[in-house]
Amino acid sequence: MEHLINSNVKDIEISGIRKFFNLVAKYDDVLSLTIGQPDFPTPTHVKEAGKAAIEMNKTVYTPNAGIPELRKAATEFVTKKYKMDYDPETELIVSIGASQGIDIAFRTILEPETEVILPGPVYPGYEPIIKLCGAIPVHIDTRETGFQLTADLIEKNITEKTRCIILPYPSNPTGAALPETELRKIADLLQDKDIFILSDEIYSELVFEGKHQSIATLPGMREKTIVINGVSKSHSMTGWRIGLVFGPEYVMKQMLKVHQYNVSCASSVSQYAALQALTTGINDAEDMKVQYQERMNYVYGRLGEMGLEVVKPSGAFYLFPSIEKYKMKSFDFALKLVEEAGVAVVPGSAFSELGEGYVRLSYAYDMQTLEKAMDRMERFLKNL
């Protein structure tokens, strides 16, 4: 009965990141720089809050949108950090990670044959959901603009079918961010257009220079923008699965219906841990960010010494060096690197066709691991 399975589901594939991660698991003595996950433990005070929630039997269903205390804390967090203003009662949904937030956002605003503009190369989690909605992803080549989706590029690709534009910054896989000047140009372009913006800001606390700015804070953009955030990257809470979705009330009341029938609510225990993270732990990301920047500078410098072209990241914890000069497919290069040097990175092709000719490596690993991996990679390239 396989022919009865939804064709949209059969047409999508498992993430290329996970595919390669699973592939290299069978090799011994491999230093893996593949998964985008903080290597820091969840802060102790956050874990204690989760334990306390269990001991106090806070293990029942919560309101669909999340516990009121967490919604209030989350809106206060983004106000203090980024000057964003949202009503905790009507303009925020606590989701099961940023991924589920993206899912319910797309299922609320997309219809068959509508188009979604997104930069390429790009995180592979958007395209499958767009396709499951029957909509069409439109990848825009950002390789000549420092991996930034500019207003000029957007304008050239807007059609009457354009329903949404994705701004995933700071970026996975490139670490690029959009400067305020470019955000303002995009805002000016979209002022009079009925087009949604999905702004994925999950790495907002990991910006190395200056402060993160959301396009939702610019004139005329709040009513068009759905903001995705969460505590996975900022507080090293990937497994707790708490995302935060902000948006104007008219969108959120519709999105809440999708969320309700999708999952009912996020984990109650995780919500109380996230409450602790966003209040007592409001600045927990600062120490992690300092270490990430040190690691980034080290790996960026080593890659440059190896002769690899790479755009210096503005945030997140990824580098995306070009391997085009070796005249190899990114998958073949990455597999050879595993087999001959014992270092695992992610083929750029996992991030759309526009990622071909690159590899992504995560520096969310301790310095000892990074030093060993760079030494191995340098020897590998010398013999390639």
Side-chain angles (χ1 to χ4, degrees):
M1 296 178 65
E2 186 176 354
H3 65 285
L4 299 180
I5 293 174
N6 186 321
S7 60
N8 285 337
V9 174
K10 289 196 288 187
D11 286 344
I12 64 175
E13 296 184 6
I14 300 297
S15 162
I17 303 172
R18 286 288 172 177
K19 270 187 180 179
F20 202 78
F21 176 79
N22 294 336
L23 177 67
V24 302
K26 64 182 181 181
Y27 291 90
D28 295 325
D29 188 30
V30 172
L31 300 173
S32 178
L33 307 182
T34 56
I35 297 297
Q37 175 168 264
D39 68 316
F40 300 99
T42 299
T44 300
H45 67 99
V46 174
K47 291 188 286 189
E48 292 300 323
K51 294 177 187 176
I54 295 172
E55 292 299 326
M56 296 171 68
N57 294 314
K58 294 181 178 180
T59 54
V60 298
Y61 290 127
T62 75
N64 297 127
I67 58 173
E69 308 96 302
L70 176 56
R71 301 202 310 264
K72 183 174 184 292
T75 53
E76 289 176 349
F77 181 89
V78 295
T79 297
K80 291 175 183 176
K81 292 283 186 173
Y82 317 122
K83 300 180 180 178
M84 300 165 74
D85 182 24
Y86 289 98
D87 184 338
E89 294 293 324
T90 61
E91 297 183 318
L92 167 64
I93 295 172
V94 180
S95 61
I96 300 184
S99 297
Q100 194 242 343
I102 294 167
D103 177 61
I104 60 174
F106 282 154
R107 288 205 277 162
T108 300
I109 66 174
L110 298 182
E111 293 178 297
E113 303 305 315
T114 55
E115 296 177 351
V116 179
I117 290 175
L118 64 167
V122 70
Y123 169 65
Y126 308 113
E127 181 177 349
I129 304 173
I130 294 168
K131 289 182 174 179
L132 286 173
C133 293
I136 302 167
V138 180
H139 289 92
I140 307 305
D141 190 346
T142 62
R143 291 173 295 183
E144 299 302 319
T145 56
F147 301 120
Q148 296 175 354
L149 184 59
T150 66
D152 287 343
L153 289 173
I154 293 171
E155 186 171 23
K156 291 174 183 175
N157 289 276
I158 288 177
T159 73
E160 60 182 16
K161 293 184 178 181
T162 303
R163 179 64 60 87
C164 179
I165 296 165
I166 301 177
L167 297 180
Y169 296 102
S171 163
N172 173 9
T174 69
L178 288 184
E180 182 181 355
T181 51
E182 197 59 53
L183 285 174
R184 290 192 177 279
K185 289 178 183 178
I186 294 172
D188 289 343
L189 171 67
L190 300 179
Q191 280 283 348
D192 60 349
K193 293 179 174 57
D194 291 336
I195 297 173
F196 286 106
I197 300 166
L198 186 121
S199 187
D200 187 346
E201 304 178 18
I202 192 66
Y203 295 98
S204 61
E205 281 294 275
L206 302 180
V207 174
F208 299 136
E209 303 295 337
K211 287 283 187 180
H212 169 77
Q213 180 170 9
S214 173
I215 195 169
T217 62
L218 299 182
M221 291 299 104
R222 189 183 185 281
E223 291 303 299
K224 299 173 182 286
T225 304
I226 299 168
V227 176
I228 305 293
N229 213 313
V231 294
S232 289
K233 313 300 184 179
S234 59
H235 290 79
S236 195
M237 294 177 66
T238 52
W240 297 82
R241 307 313 298 136
I242 292 293
L244 304 168
V245 186
F246 302 88
E249 182 178 356
Y250 78 93
V251 175
M252 301 304 284
K253 70 180 182 181
Q254 303 300 330
M255 200 182 302
L256 185 59
K257 293 187 290 188
V258 180
H259 174 72
Q260 175 187 347
Y261 291 115
N262 182 225
V263 297
S264 185
C265 64
S267 158
S268 59
V269 171
S270 294
Q271 288 189 56
Y272 285 101
L275 171 62
Q276 176 75 8
L278 296 178
T279 52
T280 304
I282 188 171
N283 292 316
D284 279 351
E286 291 301 315
D287 288 340
M288 289 186 253
K289 183 170 68 172
V290 169
Q291 294 189 57
Y292 285 138
Q293 188 167 13
E294 290 175 355
R295 298 172 185 181
M296 181 274 290
N297 286 330
Y298 170 76
V299 178
Y300 175 78
R302 288 293 303 272
L303 293 175
E305 291 170 2
M306 295 177 208
L308 294 176
E309 293 183 11
V310 58
V311 173
K312 191 172 187 178
S314 298
F317 37 63
Y318 309 104
L319 283 147
F320 203 61
S322 170
I323 56 160
E324 277 192 305
K325 67 180 184 179
Y326 296 107
K327 308 298 181 184
M328 297 174 66
K329 291 290 186 181
S330 60
F331 184 91
D332 296 336
F333 178 95
L335 186 59
K336 193 175 180 67
L337 181 62
V338 168
E339 293 176 338
E340 297 186 8
V343 177
V345 296
V346 181
S349 56
F351 305 95
S352 83
E353 292 180 359
L354 295 170
E356 186 56 80
Y358 297 83
V359 293
R360 189 198 77 172
L361 59 86
S362 167
Y363 50 86
Y365 297 89
D366 63 83
M367 282 297 294
Q368 184 179 14
T369 298
L370 294 174
E371 288 168 0
K372 288 181 179 178
M374 290 302 98
D375 288 344
R376 291 184 182 186
M377 192 168 178
E378 184 173 21
R379 288 194 295 271
F380 169 79
L381 293 178
K382 286 179 178 178
N383 296 323
L384 192 61

